[in-house]
Amino acid sequence: MSTIPMLAEKASRYGTVAIILHWLIAAGILTLIGMGLIMDHVALEPMRLFQLYQLHKSIGISVLLLVCLRVGWRLTHAAPVLPADMPVAERGAAHLAHLALYGLQIILPLSGWAMVSASVLGIPTVLFGTIPWPDLPVLATLQNKAPVEAVLKEFHHWAAWTLAVLIILHAAAALRHALILRDSVFERMLPWPVGSSRRK
């Protein structure tokens, strides 16, 4: 039997790769949410709006690739154990929340990619103005793109709001562990150990 999974199970913190990916993805998603709010609610000049959309697409695809790496890493590296006295219901809620976060982090950029692929404007995606990115098959060749684009746009909109709510709940839970419960959960994903008091 390999000893690597056993060592991973005993870890009190996530590994360096997982931590780096977590914070890169978090920064990307928060940036995308901010950009989305600006694109929806701020009157911008057409060229500035076009540039913002292009950057939004570039960051969105980058986040999708990072999330795929994160999922692959997570499947091959066990997460640190939760405190032994954490209630079963709380453990279940934490696992469900993480699954929902992973799912939305994949679904949201995929839906954006699909929306761009089905766009009636047919504007090509060039990541950061350098790397051409293809449209998704089938969607780019639809005869009547408008209704498909409208459905995907609505889905993308509400998926973004759902992810935003989950992020707020995730942050609130982390702060609860750090400030109220004062256990080891919060610092497991910090770039450096804090040495907080832990449950016994």
Side-chain angles (χ1 to χ4, degrees), residues 37-46 48-49 52:
L37 290 172
I38 292 173
M39 290 187 296
D40 283 348
H41 302 290
V42 177
L44 298 175
E45 297 177 358
R48 184 61 60 86
L49 183 61
L52 195 58

Side-chain angles (χ1 to χ4, degrees), residues 3 15 24 29 53 56 59 62 97 112 127 136 141 152 178 185 189:
T3 59
L24 283 176
I29 289 174
Y53 266 103
H56 186 85
I59 296 175
S62 300
L127 303 183
L136 286 170
T141 57
L152 289 169
V185 172
M189 191 55 87

Side-chain angles (χ1 to χ4, degrees), residues 53-90:
Y53 266 103
Q54 293 302 308
L55 183 58
H56 186 85
K57 291 191 292 183
S58 297
I59 296 175
I61 293 297
S62 300
V63 166
L64 176 61
L65 296 176
L66 288 172
V67 171
C68 289
L69 285 175
R70 177 74 179 95
V71 170
W73 188 263
R74 176 66 182 83
L75 290 174
T76 55
H77 296 76
V81 294
L82 293 169
D85 58 346
M86 178 179 286
V88 174
E90 191 172 334

